[in-house]
Amino acid sequence: MEGTEKISAEQLKSFHNKVNEEADSIINYFMVGYFLFGLFLSIFYSTWAFGLIMGGISLGLYFLAKSFLSGSLIFRLIVSFLFWNFGMQFIIQLHGMYEMHFFYFVSLTVLLFYEDWRVLLPAVIYAIMTFLLLFYLQLSGSEFNLYFENVPALSIKHAVLHIGILCLYAGLCMLWSNLQRRQTKYAGVNFLQMEEQLKLMDTNIHFADSISQGNLSANYGADKADRLGESLMNMRASLIEASEREAKEKFVNVGLASIGEILRNNADNLDVLCDNVIEKLVNYMKANQGGIFILNKDENMDETYLELMACRAYERKKYLEKRIEVGQGLVGQAAIEKETIYMLDIPKGYLNITSGLGLATPNSLLIVPLKSNEEVVGVIEMASFENFSDTDIEFLEKVGESIASTVISAKTNQTTKELLEQSRQMTEEMQAQEEEMRQNMEEMQATQEEMARTQKELSAKEANLNALINNTTDSIITIDRGYRIVVMNEVQKERYRGTQYEGLQEGANALDMLGSVRDEWKGYYDRAMSGERLDFTIKSSVKGEDAWREYFINPIKEKSGNIIGASIFSRDVTDKKRMEVELKKKGFVLDAMINSTTNTYFAVDAQYKVILANKVLRERFKEQGIVLNPGDNILDKMQGEARKKWKERYDRALKGETFNIEETRELKDRTLFISVHCDPIRDGDGEIIGVSVVSRDITDQKEAMDKVEELSAEIAKLKR
């Protein structure tokens, strides 16, 4: 039966014990009944003494065994033996009357209640031995035959038949006993399984009640769950996941709402806004320190930088004057890369948190750029002794977008205020000048004649402008927002003449007759009319020539700033393209030149980053275990006095100084003399963008010069 292998014999023992107890109750009646039946037979056969003695002994043995061996297999085997002992008693009392063999069948049938085939064995063996004894006494003519006068004459054939019947019935009873025991086992298994199922049902009900009351951490209460229990645990897992997701969403939404209120209430004051926002963020995220940096522009140097607007540490307000260049450090890196930086391994000395016990390095650092539509306006830096969760990062990134939008609005409002103030001042000045304007009306009347003359000059200038756009070698076209051509110079018309584009004239649609490239050029025009300035070079296909043209497509704006069209300038840059190819070849030549000498050639930019380093220099660094690649900061590759010395040299050259330095380099066996030439690198506008360094080994020249000086001194002595 399915499931029986999961039920142990110990669990089923109680069911078999109950069967044995019920069988013991039935056996009591049969034992007393057998004893009384023996007395009843004594009435007819005058065997009172035998019935009382043998029946009493059997009954006494039964109760003695029951007192000391009750419930054991030995007790049941004794009962089996005594059952046929009474049968033997009845056969003797009836002088061998074979009808008494019916007690054999009755006894085995009663013993079936024990459901144990072993219990039948004593009675079966005892009965067969009794039958064989009677058969032997009959064959031997024993003097005991007078006690078995009712025994019919038996042959071997009858004896075998009788024994066979006894064994057959014994076998059937044993088989039936096993069947009964198996049924009891199955009934016990069903009961235990049902009991287990009821326990699981109670467990499932209790577990479901706990979940319904919101206790998602409740234990299941059973070692192994059924399908319903598994479904309930899966449901709990889903509820826990939903609860965690709801908690995260609540954290983000509540935080956004509280920050949003701060942003709305302080949109007109950037300083107060930053101060309140960073205070709220540090407390809400349970961080230990936080700072907010805003991107500003240095009007004097025409460059942008990050300024620390507000900072909080351990809920104490701190104002620190700090300026970080864009790209400098982790904060500057986040601003230029527009990506969140989350670090668990904080660089030593990068940031300290002040507490009552002194300074301590945080365990986690979160830097989020404040950006709106990919425009970065600042950076938020948060530090904590605890790790930031994914929810914290997501929340701060979303808050960053809101802060960025508000900062942009605040700056716009601030600019608007300044413009309004300027407008007010201008209005006052205009009012002050109104009187002067009235006084100048007469003069204006006099100047009208001058304006008429000026109009003529403007007409002449317009003619000159037309001459100008038609005398250039560039192709010029202007279009309106409907892609209609407003202006087309003669160069462009001549270029289209004799081609499929010849029909494109003033007033025509610039997209007509463009064929397969219509969508491509429409995309260029639409980008320009959206405010974008385009500059690109493509291969010309107007006349199938092998040429390259550079295009400049710019929006045309009114004084109000509205875009009313686009201008398209193009020129032939085939020679320039070829020159680029030649320059590339020259680059390969230059590379070969600087790498085929024993001198070192080296160049860095204004941030000390390697632009160029020839093979000789790279090999020298490699000998010191240093790998030198373009883009590396050369000062990071040096230490101690060498770093300080070379930084001073780079700074001198970056200030515009060109200089030579001769220095010595001590080796194990000799001294080398090195000539170092430092020169600033300038761009096309003359701005210094880097430093070039050439180092040459002049030891041989130096030694030669020393020898020349020695010879000169010797010659001078000889002349004397």
Side-chain angles (χ1 to χ4, degrees):
M1 185 176 179
E2 183 180 358
T4 56
E5 67 278 359
K6 300 179 182 178
I7 306 299
S8 66
E10 189 65 28
Q11 290 176 289
L12 295 172
K13 187 176 180 180
S14 61
F15 294 93
H16 294 299
N17 288 340
K18 186 175 181 181
V19 170
N20 292 332
E21 289 173 2
E22 293 178 354
D24 287 342
S25 299
I26 296 172
I27 294 299
N28 282 332
Y29 294 110
F30 272 89
M31 282 293 181
V32 175
Y34 277 179
F35 175 73
L36 295 177
F37 186 73
L39 296 180
F40 176 74
L41 291 178
S42 298
I43 296 173
F44 300 99
Y45 294 94
S46 300
T47 54
W48 291 100
F50 186 76
L52 285 171
I53 295 172
M54 188 170 181
I57 291 173
S58 296
L59 191 62
L61 287 174
Y62 168 73
F63 283 108
L64 184 64
K66 185 177 181 180
S67 300
F68 295 100
L69 301 173
S70 179
S72 65
L73 176 61
I74 297 175
F75 169 70
R76 294 191 286 275
L77 293 175
I78 292 173
V79 168
S80 177
F81 173 80
L82 293 176
F83 257 34
W84 185 247
N85 200 49
F86 275 112
M88 181 66 178
Q89 173 188 330
F90 299 154
I91 291 173
I92 295 173
Q93 283 183 288
L94 295 172
H95 301 291
M97 191 173 179
Y98 262 42
E99 284 78 358
M100 291 301 99
H101 279 77
F102 283 110
F103 282 98
Y104 171 80
F105 300 107
V106 173
S107 297
L108 292 189
T109 303
V110 173
L111 290 173
L112 286 175
F113 291 124
Y114 281 118
E115 298 180 353
D116 190 348
W117 63 272
R118 297 173 297 178
V119 176
L120 303 176
L121 290 176
V124 172
I125 295 171
Y126 193 4
I128 293 174
M129 290 176 63
T130 300
F131 179 79
L132 292 175
L133 176 63
L134 292 176
F135 183 59
Y136 172 75
L137 291 175
Q138 187 182 67
L139 292 177
S140 63
S142 172
E143 60 183 2
F144 292 103
N145 278 338
L146 60 94
Y147 294 105
F148 303 104
E149 59 186 14
N150 290 330
V151 177
L154 292 173
S155 64
I156 294 178
K157 177 180 178 181
H158 289 100
V160 172
L161 179 61
H162 277 261
I163 293 175
I165 292 172
L166 293 178
C167 291
L168 176 62
Y169 187 71
L172 291 174
C173 288
M174 289 180 183
L175 178 60
W176 182 252
S177 176
N178 280 339
L179 290 175
Q180 286 296 106
R181 187 174 185 84
R182 194 176 302 168
Q183 289 297 324
T184 301
K185 177 181 179 182
Y186 289 165
V189 168
N190 289 333
F191 179 82
L192 291 173
Q193 287 181 337
M194 185 176 295
E195 189 179 48
E196 181 66 22
Q197 190 63 39
L198 289 174
K199 289 181 180 178
L200 284 176
M201 187 179 297
D202 290 339
T203 300
N204 291 337
I205 292 172
H206 179 72
F207 187 61
D209 289 341
S210 299
I211 293 175
S212 66
Q213 294 171 7
N215 183 13
L216 299 180
S217 61
N219 292 327
Y220 179 65
D223 295 334
K224 187 173 182 181
D226 58 359
R227 294 180 61 183
L228 177 59
E230 291 176 354
S231 299
L232 288 173
M233 285 192 284
N234 291 336
M235 181 183 71
R236 180 183 66 174
S238 300
L239 290 173
I240 291 174
E241 182 180 353
S243 177
E244 292 176 351
R245 184 169 59 251
E246 181 182 357
K248 291 179 180 179
E249 292 176 354
K250 181 179 179 181
F251 176 82
V252 173
N253 293 334
V254 171
L256 287 173
S258 58
I259 295 298
E261 184 177 357
I262 294 174
L263 297 177
R264 288 191 298 273
N265 295 336
N266 301 280
D268 57 343
N269 191 323
L270 189 58
D271 292 333
V272 176
L273 182 147
C274 293
D275 200 55
N276 291 342
V277 164
I278 198 63
E279 179 181 13
K280 182 65 178 180
L281 286 176
V282 169
N283 292 331
Y284 190 71
M285 295 179 66
K286 295 181 175 58
N288 298 100
Q289 183 168 302
I292 183 169
F293 299 80
I294 299 299
L295 195 66
N296 289 325
K297 186 173 183 180
D298 191 333
E299 299 294 341
N300 296 327
M301 302 182 65
D302 193 24
E303 62 182 17
T304 56
Y305 63 94
L306 290 164
E307 180 182 359
L308 179 63
M309 300 294 292
C311 178
R312 283 292 183 281
Y314 278 119
E315 300 183 356
R316 291 185 305 170
K317 184 175 179 182
K318 283 190 173 184
Y319 289 101
L320 303 176
E321 292 185 1
K322 190 173 182 182
R323 167 173 171 158
I324 297 178
E325 304 299 330
V326 175
Q328 176 186 353
L330 294 176
V331 173
Q333 180 183 346
I336 199 170
E337 293 181 356
K338 303 180 182 180
E339 295 292 339
T340 298
I341 297 176
Y342 180 44
M343 300 183 66
L344 297 177
D345 186 12
I346 313 302
K348 186 177 181 181
Y350 174 79
L351 181 66
N352 289 320
I353 295 178
T354 305
S355 68
L357 300 177
L359 299 178
T361 301
N363 293 327
S364 60
L365 179 69
L366 179 60
I367 303 174
V368 175
L370 304 178
K371 61 181 180 180
S372 176
N373 296 325
E374 296 303 316
E375 178 185 356
V376 175
V377 300
V379 175
I380 287 182
E381 181 182 57
M382 305 289 287
S384 176
F385 291 123
E386 303 293 334
N387 293 344
F388 291 105
S389 65
D390 294 338
T391 304
D392 293 330
I393 298 174
E394 178 186 354
F395 165 67
L396 195 57
E397 288 178 340
K398 289 185 177 180
V399 165
E401 295 177 2
S402 300
I403 297 173
S405 300
T406 306
V407 168
I408 293 173
S409 299
K411 287 188 173 182
T412 302
N413 293 339
Q414 187 173 351
T415 303
T416 303
K417 284 184 179 180
E418 294 175 355
L419 291 175
L420 287 174
E421 180 63 23
Q422 293 176 4
S423 176
R424 186 186 63 79
Q425 293 177 358
M426 290 178 63
T427 301
E428 292 177 354
E429 292 176 0
M430 288 177 66
Q431 289 175 349
Q433 293 173 356
E434 186 176 352
E435 182 65 25
E436 184 179 353
M437 287 178 64
R438 282 197 295 267
Q439 293 175 359
N440 292 334
M441 285 293 292
E442 295 179 0
E443 296 180 6
M444 289 178 63
Q445 221 171 21
T447 57
Q448 284 181 354
E449 297 177 0
E450 183 69 21
M451 289 177 65
R453 187 171 61 254
T454 303
Q455 185 66 34
K456 292 181 181 180
E457 293 178 356
L458 288 174
S459 298
K461 288 181 179 179
E462 183 178 357
N464 291 334
L465 178 60
N466 289 331
L468 176 63
I469 67 173
N470 288 316
N471 288 331
T472 180
T473 58
D474 292 347
S475 297
I476 302 174
I477 299 177
T478 62
I479 60 174
D480 61 16
R481 295 194 67 87
Y483 310 107
R484 290 185 179 85
I485 298 175
V486 179
V487 175
M488 177 184 289
N489 71 344
E490 293 299 327
V491 176
Q492 186 68 35
K493 292 177 181 178
E494 182 62 29
R495 186 164 177 264
Y496 282 166
R497 193 167 287 118
T499 69
Q500 59 178 343
Y501 310 116
E502 188 171 5
L504 291 175
Q505 300 290 337
E506 286 90 340
N509 191 302
L511 301 178
D512 291 346
M513 296 181 287
L514 291 183
S516 60
V517 297
R518 183 183 190 280
D519 292 339
E520 178 183 356
W521 283 96
K522 183 178 181 301
Y524 294 148
Y525 299 155
D526 289 343
R527 288 168 62 186
M529 292 181 191
S530 298
E532 186 176 352
R533 296 179 177 273
L534 307 180
D535 178 5
F536 57 90
T537 301
I538 59 174
K539 196 168 185 180
S540 175
S541 60
V542 172
K543 295 183 179 180
E545 67 270 31
D546 186 15
W548 293 83
R549 296 191 70 82
E550 185 176 14
Y551 282 86
F552 302 90
I553 305 179
N554 299 311
I556 299 175
K557 299 181 180 179
E558 294 179 325
K559 290 183 178 180
S560 62
N562 294 328
I563 298 174
I564 60 173
S567 63
I568 302 97
F569 287 73
S570 68
R571 64 184 58 158
D572 190 335
V573 292
T574 304
D575 293 339
K576 178 182 177 182
K577 200 71 177 180
R578 290 172 181 165
M579 187 179 297
E580 289 178 357
V581 174
E582 291 298 324
L583 286 174
K584 192 172 183 181
K585 291 180 180 178
K586 290 180 180 179
F588 290 130
V589 173
L590 177 62
D591 186 66
M593 290 175 62
I594 66 173
N595 286 313
S596 61
T597 177
T598 58
N599 298 330
T600 62
Y601 290 87
F602 179 60
V604 296
D605 62 13
Q607 283 75 41
Y608 314 109
K609 293 182 179 179
V610 177
I611 300 174
L612 177 146
N614 72 338
K615 185 176 180 181
V616 176
L617 183 62
R618 292 198 304 271
E619 290 297 329
R620 288 185 181 177
F621 272 88
K622 189 175 181 181
E623 291 174 358
Q624 302 175 24
I626 301 173
V627 177
L628 192 63
N629 294 316
D632 291 345
N633 191 310
I634 187 61
L635 296 180
D636 293 342
K637 307 293 183 178
M638 302 178 184
Q639 295 180 351
E641 290 297 325
R643 175 188 173 95
K644 179 179 179 182
K645 176 179 67 177
W646 280 101
K647 185 177 184 303
E648 291 176 354
R649 293 176 181 178
Y650 297 148
D651 291 343
R652 287 174 60 188
L654 288 172
K655 291 179 181 178
E657 183 180 354
T658 298
F659 56 91
N660 286 303
I661 297 174
E662 290 188 4
E663 58 182 8
T664 59
R665 184 175 299 166
E666 299 293 337
L667 299 180
K668 293 181 179 180
D669 54 348
R670 63 188 183 124
T671 300
L672 294 181
F673 293 89
I674 305 297
S675 174
V676 181
H677 180 77
C678 297
D679 195 55
I681 301 173
R682 302 176 185 271
D683 60 12
D685 297 328
E687 295 292 332
I688 297 174
I689 62 172
V691 179
S692 66
V693 181
V694 180
S695 299
R696 294 191 299 273
D697 185 351
I698 59 172
T699 304
D700 294 339
Q701 296 91 321
K702 194 73 175 176
E703 291 176 351
M705 291 178 63
D706 290 342
K707 289 181 180 180
V708 169
E709 290 179 0
E710 291 177 2
L711 291 173
S712 298
E714 291 293 331
I715 292 171
K717 289 180 181 180
L718 292 174
K719 287 181 178 181
R720 293 176 187 174

